[in-house]
Each structure stands twice: as C-alpha cells, then as structure tokens.
Amino acid sequence: MLTSFAATEADTDEVTDLSSLCPQLIHVACVCAGHNASRDVVTLVKSVLFHRRNPLHFHFITDTVANRILSSLFQSWMVPSVQVSFYDADELKSEVSWIPNKHYSGIYGLMKLTLTKALPSDLSKVIVLDTDITFATDIAELWGIFRKFTDKQVIGLVENQSDWYLGNLWKNHKPWPALGRGFNTGVILLYLERLRRIGWEQMWRLTAERELMSMLSTSLADQDIFNAFIKQNPVLVHQLPCFWNVQLSDHTRSEQCYTEVSDLKVIHWNSPKKLRVKNKHVEFFRNLYLTFLEYDGNLLRRELFGCPSQASPETVQLQAALEELDEDDQCYDFRRERLTVHRVHLYFLQYEYTPTEDDTDVTLVAQLSMDRLQMLEAICKHWEGPISLALYMSDAEAQQFLRYAQASEVLKNRKNVGYHIVYKEGQFYPVNLVRNVALKNANTPYVFLTDVDFLPMYGLYDYLRKTVVQLDMAHTKKALVVPAFETLRYRLSFPKSKAELLSMLDMGTLYTFRYHVWPKGHAPTNYAKWRTATTPYKVEWEPDFEPYVVVRRDCPEYDQRFVGFGWNKVSHIMELDAQEYDLMVLPNAFMIHMPHAPSFDISKFRSSSSYRNCLNTLKDEFHQDLSRKYGSAALKYLTPASPSASKLLT
C-alpha cells in the first residue's frame, strides 16, 4: 500500500539526524486522483516549496493514474529535503464506498476520513490539504498552530465562509448538522495520535450512519461528516484564524475574513468554477495562483539553509558523475547535458486507452517543442491510433499548451493521445531523452518512431497493424521502414494514394526526403525500387542511414549523449542494426515532411565549429561503446566514417 521516495525519517519534533540546526520535519497529506487533480497538486506543491524553510514529507493518497504521474514527477524533480510517500486509494475505497455522496469529487472526496488508518501508525500529526489550495506564506506557521491545541483538541479547521450550513441559501435547503456556520475541510490540522486514541474510525462511522438515516447522502463529502462529528463533540475542534483558508466559493463571505490581502496565508479555490469566482480581490488571488502555475519548478531544487539534505542514492550518484567531468574539456557542456535530470510530468492531459484484443496495436511516437505545436491537429487527423508525445517546454509554455489543447476541438476529442511534459533545463535540446520519454510511455506492442513535422499517409495506422501480423513482428526482429518524402509548400494537397504521390514526385511537387541536403540519410531506402515494389523488401544498413521505423516497443532506447542537432536518429538505427534487426521497407506506406523554420539547434550546429567538433567526438565515442557492447556485430561501425555532416552547412 505504501511506496516512498527518499530516506524515511521519524515524526519527531526536531530532525536530529539531519542537523541540530535543521528545522522540524513537516508532514502534509493530500488525496489526489486523476489527471486534472495531478496537475492541480503540482501548483499547490510549488506554492508550499516556494515559501518553506523546513524539510517536508508529502503523503499522497492516489489512484493508479495519479500515482504514476506524481511518482515520476517527484523522482525526476529531486527536490532536497523532500520525501514523498504514496498510499493506494483503491485499498481505502471500501472504508467509504457505503456512503451515498453527491459531491463532484466522488468517492475520493470522502477519503480524508480514513487518514488515521491510511497513514503510518507512528505519524502523530499531519496537515491535510485539498489540491485547489495556494499558499502565500511558510507552511511552518500553520504547523506551529499544533502547539496551541488544548489537551483535548484533535482537529484544527477554519470556519466555513458561506451560509451553507445555516440552511438559508434556498427554499427547503437542508444541510447536514454543524456547529454554527460549520467548518471547511480544505485545510485541516489532524492530530492523528489523539484521534486514534479516542477511536476516530468508529466515531465518524457512527456519526455518518446516524445522520444518513435522515439526510440520505452527503452533499459536501467528508466536510458534512466532519461537521456532524464536531457538532456532537465541539470540545475536540481548534478553530483556526480564517486567513488560513480563504474560501473563494459560491455564496462566499470571504471578504469579511480580512482587511488587507497581505494578511492572507492560504487561498482556497473551492468553487467548481475555480478561477472564475466573484470577489473584489479576485485578480490579486488569480495572479498569485498563476505565479505558481507558471513558476519554473527547477528553481525549487535549492538546498535548505542550515539543513543538510539526506541525499538519495540517485542524487549521490549524479553528484559523483558531475564531479568526474573535466571542466576544461571543450565538450564539457555536451557531457554535462547528458547528466541533467529533467522533471517529467507524464499524462499531462486526460488519457484513455483500451488495449486491442489482437496485440497488433501501434503507437505513433514523437517529440516536439512549442514551435511545432501547430502540427498536432494535422497528425491527429492523419493517425487515428494511439499517440505518445513528449513535449519539451518550460512551466509557462506547458500552461500555454494546456490552453491550446483545451480550446482545440480536434485535440480535446482525442483521449488516446498521451502528452508527457519534459521541463526545460540546460542549453541544449535533449532530443533523445525526450524521445525516450515518449517511447517508454507507449502502451502498445509496437511503436512507429517518427518526428512531429511529418504527416503519415491516410490509413497508415490500419496498414501497419495488418503488416505487423503479415511479417510476424511478434517473433522476429524487424524494423519496418516507412519511406519519407517532403514538400516545400506550406499548403499541400495531400496525396490519397501511392499512385498520386508518385505523380506529385514526377511533377516536382514532392521530393524524396532531404535528397538535396543530406541524401545519405535516406538513400538506402532505395526509392527507385520502392516505386514499383508490391511486397516489403530488405535493405542493408549504410553509414548515416536514419529512416523512420516501426518496431516492437522493447527496442533499444535512443542514446542520450546526442543532444541538439545531429546523429540522434542515426545512432538509434545503428544500434538496431547491431542487434541484428532486419530493415524492411514497406511498399505501400509513406510519410511527408511539412516545411517549417529551422530549429535553434541546427542554427547553432551550422554557426559553431566547436559544436560540430564535439559532435564528431561523441560519434567516435559512440562507435567505440557500440563495439564493446556488441563485439563483432559492430566492428563495421569502426571503419572510416562517411564525409562530415558539414555538408549541411551548404
């Protein structure tokens, strides 16, 4: 049930194993389920990390989706003095599934009731937060309020800032019982040790059973049950100042909570409308939220002052590798880039995929940055199958992409596209790392490894699914080559068939890909033979060959030493060849490269001799590594290389 990152530390008043100077370890719990809540919780975490001066331990009760997303994110985020533990929400559902609930959060809105059981038995205190919270101060101030609890108090809450529990919002409005205006459960201080001692699990169940006899269901999920419990046991609640949970909900009275916005500590977007609520200071609140939404999460990797981090084995290994690098090496920047750990947010948008029964499914795999975003709609129109895309973006660009995707009729209607954000860091585009993120998160037996600036022919998805069966891809090592063409026209009447493509090729509307710039990249495809071929044909590897291929998902990953421009795909095809994959050209398949402005990395390659020299150095080292790894199968790669890629400069 429990999975954790980082060293586990006991819940003590002072974290003595770190340093006598190190502040208290603060525990924070959230219930998080699904793609949207996973995005929300990242903004919450950023706001907490931005202000914090204490080590933190986050406890996430998650469904399978949120677990996969957040575990990957925190592992790659590598924030010092932060621990993360996960608890399986499925194992807790039976505790609350018997409660009829009308709240939009569904069963997950009831799970805060189970925290005494879900969290470790030796954990004595925890701050519990909804995912739609933004902090405007150091969370240690909130943690410090535990010291103000009387001996009997077990729960800290802010008064509800709407009239909901007064029962006068509309005719026949009948809320659950509450003490006065009731309390809001978006921010809770839970004294777990005391709750267990008084038999919390049995007490809240008895409360819920009693009230459900007349109320029939909850409207506000766990909040209704917490309030009914407090109504019966008012001595157990510690009322927090209202600025610890300023509620921007419908019918809110939050403006009566403060006189100056600078007084506020925690903003709670607890309306279903979220940022579109009414409040005279809503622009201030919205800007505060947007600041953290778009804030560069890499900046939160800073060490805590006076609090030595208990580094994870991965961090220690990374530091050792960095220290081994020679800063005088002219290729130092390239080598350092390979060691950069990029934050990764998997499944940034809603994703749904049901595996096919025949195990022939193929995922289109590609990577892109912000300047290629306009290709997505066209690709979705050309390829109806599953897609795995890794997007290299800053935090702010990721939010621009989110707005773009949510506004696009084409994209928002496609649920079988997995969008994985790799956050920007460093000076090079880590193209092969980004490709690997897309490749590793494909969920089908086969993958079509392409680039986002290519449009596949109409019907290619179905054609490939039939072909993997015909060529027995499940039991043989084959890489199916999809011949690549290009147009220099921004507006192209896309060919509907091979015959139409050949006609356009003869008229000069289309060309074989890069024939006029770098013919060696695709010459082994043998376009002359392809024109008349009716069955797949095998071709031999040649230096600099970089076709786009369909392979089994268990193929080798891309070599991540190659960043920016040059040799990123070539090295991958070489490794496929070294593993003795047969390169088979498909006779009735094609893809077309669409024109666009040159990338920043190709411009750097063309303008910098040191860039080109380092690329050649990396190529030589790759050849040697390949030879050591595959022995005689790779000896041919050590022969004199083909003419330098400097031809691309012309």
Side-chain angles (χ1 to χ4, degrees):
M1 179 173 176
L2 165 66
T3 53
S4 297
F5 304 142
T8 301
E9 298 172 82
D11 176 34
T12 57
D13 282 343
E14 295 296 328
V15 188
T16 54
D17 57 332
L18 284 180
S19 166
S20 59
L21 298 175
C22 194
Q24 188 175 0
L25 176 65
I26 295 173
H27 292 268
V28 181
C30 284
V31 178
C32 182
H35 302 84
N36 295 339
S38 298
R39 283 200 312 274
D40 292 340
V41 86
V42 174
T43 308
L44 160 63
V45 168
K46 282 185 185 177
S47 71
V48 172
L49 292 176
F50 180 82
H51 297 287
R52 64 105 182 208
R53 289 175 291 180
N54 291 57
L56 297 170
H57 191 150
F58 288 101
H59 302 265
F60 292 113
I61 292 83
T62 59
D63 65 350
T64 304
V65 168
N67 188 316
R68 184 175 184 183
I69 294 170
L70 295 177
S71 60
S72 169
L73 180 70
F74 276 95
Q75 275 184 322
S76 58
W77 202 340
M78 300 176 72
V79 185
S81 302
V82 168
Q83 302 163 51
V84 185
S85 299
F86 292 93
Y87 310 84
D88 188 354
D90 286 342
E91 295 185 15
L92 298 168
K93 284 183 177 178
S94 61
E95 301 289 321
V96 293
S97 59
W98 57 274
I99 303 172
N101 175 31
K102 294 180 180 177
H103 194 255
Y104 62 84
S105 59
I107 193 170
Y108 299 101
L110 294 161
M111 285 194 175
K112 282 183 280 187
L113 296 165
T114 73
L115 291 179
T116 52
K117 181 172 183 177
L119 298 179
S121 58
D122 61 348
L123 183 59
S124 67
K125 301 188 292 287
V126 69
I127 296 172
V128 187
L129 303 172
D130 281 356
T131 58
D132 51 4
I133 293 286
T134 306
F135 266 76
T137 193
D138 189 343
I139 196 170
E141 294 180 44
L142 181 58
W143 183 263
I145 296 178
F146 275 118
R147 293 194 295 269
K148 299 180 180 179
F149 278 34
T150 66
D151 290 344
K152 289 187 173 13
Q153 290 173 340
V154 296
I155 302 174
L157 292 165
V158 170
E159 185 180 57
N160 202 49
Q161 291 163 12
S162 81
D163 289 343
W164 179 272
Y165 287 107
L166 299 180
N168 58 9
L169 292 182
W170 56 80
K171 188 178 180 181
N172 299 325
H173 174 217
K174 187 184 177 186
W176 276 53
L179 189 65
R181 306 187 63 82
F183 294 92
N184 183 276
T185 56
V187 176
I188 316 176
L189 297 186
L190 280 189
Y191 217 125
L192 298 170
E193 181 182 352
R194 294 179 182 177
L195 282 165
R196 295 186 185 105
R197 201 182 304 146
I198 65 172
W200 163 251
E201 288 180 40
Q202 184 180 16
M203 292 178 77
W204 76 254
R205 282 174 176 274
L206 290 173
T207 299
E209 288 169 358
R210 181 182 66 246
E211 299 302 334
L212 284 169
M213 293 177 68
S214 59
M215 297 303 300
L216 303 181
S217 69
T218 66
S219 295
L220 301 182
D222 68 87
Q223 185 167 298
D224 285 338
I225 297 173
F226 270 105
N227 274 290
F229 169 80
I230 291 168
K231 178 73 180 284
Q232 295 295 315
N233 305 277
V235 71
L236 299 180
V237 68
H238 179 94
Q239 183 167 335
L240 302 175
C242 66
F243 49 67
W244 283 113
N245 183 354
V246 178
Q247 301 145 39
L248 301 180
S249 60
D250 295 331
H251 315 294
T252 187
R253 294 160 53 91
S254 58
E255 293 174 17
Q256 299 178 19
C257 166
Y258 60 90
T259 53
E260 299 291 336
V261 290
S262 58
D263 299 335
L264 304 181
K265 308 286 189 182
V266 172
I267 312 302
H268 185 188
W269 303 92
N270 62 320
S271 164
K273 296 183 291 188
K274 299 306 177 191
L275 301 190
R276 300 191 304 276
V277 293
K278 294 179 181 179
N279 180 290
K280 65 183 179 183
H281 297 121
V282 71
E283 281 303 313
F284 175 85
F285 300 140
R286 190 180 289 123
N287 288 336
L288 178 70
Y289 171 81
L290 292 175
T291 295
F292 294 115
L293 187 72
E294 301 187 353
Y295 188 80
D296 182 354
N298 298 326
L299 301 177
L300 299 168
R301 286 171 163 169
R302 62 184 183 270
E303 295 280 350
L304 290 184
F305 180 74
C307 188
S309 174
Q310 282 194 332
S312 66
E314 294 81 7
T315 302
V316 172
Q317 188 176 2
L318 176 62
Q319 288 298 329
L322 287 169
E323 288 171 8
E324 287 180 8
L325 295 181
D326 179 6
E327 293 189 22
D328 295 327
D329 180 355
Q330 67 167 348
C331 300
Y332 171 81
D333 289 340
F334 285 83
R335 301 190 194 285
R336 195 184 193 292
E337 186 67 39
R338 187 182 182 185
L339 298 174
T340 299
V341 178
H342 293 265
R343 284 177 298 135
V344 177
H345 187 134
L346 302 178
Y347 301 102
F348 195 67
L349 299 182
Q350 192 75 26
Y351 175 78
E352 298 167 13
Y353 170 71
T354 303
T356 57
E357 294 180 0
D358 56 6
D359 281 339
T360 65
D361 215 354
V362 184
T363 297
L364 185 151
V365 173
Q367 52 76 33
L368 67 150
S369 53
M370 200 69 182
D371 58 343
R372 301 286 185 267
L373 210 54
Q374 73 281 359
M375 291 295 300
L376 294 185
E377 287 190 347
I379 286 178
C380 285
K381 291 176 182 177
H382 280 247
W383 179 273
E384 60 269 32
I387 300 174
S388 181
L389 295 172
L391 301 91
Y392 188 61
M393 294 179 168
S394 67
D395 294 73
E397 287 173 339
Q399 296 307 315
Q400 292 176 43
F401 159 68
L402 176 63
R403 292 190 289 271
Y404 171 82
Q406 290 174 335
S408 165
E409 293 296 331
V410 174
L411 300 187
K412 69 183 180 183
N413 289 326
R414 283 289 294 271
K415 301 302 183 186
N416 64 346
V417 181
Y419 299 98
H420 314 296
I421 306 294
V422 179
Y423 286 103
K424 282 184 176 178
E425 186 169 8
Q427 57 178 306
F428 295 101
Y429 191 121
V431 58
N432 278 357
L433 178 148
V434 182
R435 282 196 176 106
N436 284 337
V437 169
L439 172 58
K440 285 185 282 190
N441 290 286
N443 296 310
T444 57
Y446 305 98
V447 287
F448 172 29
L449 305 177
T450 183
D451 277 335
V452 79
D453 44 11
F454 278 88
L455 290 181
M457 73 175 197
Y458 291 111
L460 181 61
Y461 171 61
D462 289 333
Y463 174 68
L464 292 180
R465 289 185 61 187
K466 293 173 184 173
T467 304
V468 299
V469 175
Q470 293 168 356
L471 295 182
D472 193 24
M473 290 275 286
H475 305 102
T476 58
K477 292 177 97 171
K478 291 188 177 75
L480 311 183
V481 176
V482 178
F485 300 85
E486 70 176 327
T487 179
L488 303 180
R489 300 182 179 184
Y490 282 86
R491 297 174 68 88
L492 176 74
S493 177
F494 201 90
K496 303 291 192 299
S497 64
K498 177 177 178 177
E500 192 175 333
L501 179 136
L502 291 174
S503 175
M504 295 171 74
L505 203 60
D506 293 337
M507 291 189 298
T509 309
L510 293 176
Y511 307 92
T512 56
F513 185 55
R514 290 291 184 259
Y515 88 99
H516 59 299
V517 177
W518 188 239
K520 297 176 74 67
H522 292 265
T525 299
N526 194 343
Y527 289 100
K529 182 171 184 176
W530 182 82
R531 294 180 71 101
T532 56
T534 55
T535 58
Y537 58 92
K538 183 178 177 182
V539 296
E540 297 300 321
W541 173 87
E542 294 179 22
D544 301 308
F545 192 25
E546 52 178 358
Y548 296 94
V549 296
V550 179
V551 288
R552 291 201 307 250
R553 187 183 55 190
D554 62 0
C555 69
E557 293 182 6
Y558 290 85
D559 193 293
Q560 293 180 190
R561 84 186 77 199
F562 295 106
V563 297
F565 176 79
W567 251 63
N568 42 73
K569 292 191 299 292
V570 173
S571 58
H572 190 243
I573 297 300
M574 285 179 69
E575 186 148 11
L576 290 177
D577 184 65
Q579 289 197 7
E580 300 182 329
Y581 277 70
D582 288 334
L583 296 166
M584 306 292 297
V585 180
L586 300 179
N588 295 307
F590 62 84
M591 56 197 294
I592 299 177
H593 180 262
M594 306 306 289
H596 56 73
S599 69
F600 180 57
D601 288 281
I602 196 171
S603 300
K604 285 199 289 189
F605 173 87
R606 289 171 172 168
S607 62
S608 170
S609 59
S610 63
Y611 192 116
R612 298 191 296 276
N613 290 337
C614 283
L615 180 58
N616 284 327
T617 299
L618 296 177
K619 286 163 58 176
D620 291 341
E621 293 170 359
F622 173 75
H623 283 143
Q624 293 164 16
D625 290 345
L626 211 59
S627 181
R628 281 190 288 268
K629 189 174 181 180
Y630 297 105
S632 58
L635 285 178
K636 60 183 174 181
Y637 307 127
L638 292 175
T639 57
S642 58
S644 168
S646 59
K647 284 187 177 182
L648 285 172
L649 293 168
T650 59

